[in-house]
Amino acid sequence: MAFKEADYIWMNGEFVPWKDAKIHVLSHVVHYGTSVFEGIRAYKTPKGTAIFRLPEHIKRLFNSAKIYRMEIPFTPDELANAMKEAIRKNELESCYIRPLVYRGYNSLGVNPFPCPVEVSIAVWEWGKYLGPEALEKGVDVKISTWNRMAPNTFPATAKAGANYMNSQLVKMEAILDNYVEGIALDINGWVSEGSGENLFLVIDGKLYTPPLGASILAGITRDTVVKLAEEMGIEVTKMMIPREFLYTCDELFFTGSAAEITPISSVDKITVGSGKRGPITERLQKKFFDIVENGNDPYGWLQYV
Ligand code: PPE
């Protein structure tokens, strides 16, 4: 899906026209993947455009940068304001927000320290991540032959650009095999996550999701679903999940800022439950979209632009 281009991108404190938001080919990030980023959605609500769980995303961005010893030359408030300003300046009602922190141009060689830490914020309209019908019909997925990275190789809770080389292996294999998405197991064979989504299973009316120890990103949508489910009286257990539970569970769905709550209809060509969006998935989706689209937000998760 090609970009729906917006007008301006924020780079290191200034707005530049979309087409001029460029970096040098010898920037450290281009060669060694030296970046951390976030993916956030802003929704159109009856009270105006609102960003979903912005402080949590900013906190994770700063934590990712901390892990990689990158000092962000802006405060969390400055970045929050820049994101809001970017949405206003581009006159967008709803959009995806992509803040990126990266090592720029100075020198090459693995040592990143001489290269400046730079920040950009792009916003653009991004439709449904796994296809227009995915939220209702669900998607067909496969277990990847690739594993998620081992702990002590790439830290999975840092949202680093380089992690997405692993995600790309998972995604490409899935697409070439005619699936919409792939699910990676961790190095011990436990269920980990999708190339860009966390996973939830429904078994006998209860929710299960892999723990942080299964090499997953600590998803903010995952946290949202945990909180909504508990409030709805649905028990949630974080536990190591054997692969075969993905075949035998009653319902299965992805969560992510881009993917929102997307049902999974089959895994490795084995139909999950009824093969359609299940009742608990649908209830959670309804609750989620009532917050982000209708602005019914008792949690204070929306920040108006
Ligand atoms: N795991 C991975 C590997 C991941 O990339 C994401 C988000 C999640 C879990 C869910 O996290 P959260 O968004 O906080 O609920 N993936 C982002 C990037 C997707 C992309 O293609 O780029 C996203 O959803 O914005």
Side-chain angles (χ1 to χ4, degrees), residues 9 20-21 25 43 46 73 94 130 150 158 227 235 250 268 274 291:
I9 291 177
D20 298 331
V25 72
Y43 290 89
S94 64
L130 297 174
K227 293 201 162 92
E235 202 178 295
D250 303 313
D268 295 337
S274 65
I291 297 167

Side-chain angles (χ1 to χ4, degrees), residues 37-40 57 60 96 98 126 129 148 159 164 167 193-198 217-222 255-259:
F37 68 98
E38 274 303 316
I40 312 168
H57 281 283
R60 190 171 66 186
Y96 187 76
R98 169 55 57 83
W126 206 1
Y129 187 59
R148 206 69 180 125
K159 196 168 170 68
Y164 288 82
S167 288
E193 60 182 350
S195 76
E197 312 87 357
N198 291 119
L217 182 70
I220 289 160
T221 321
R222 172 179 178 270
T255 64
S257 299

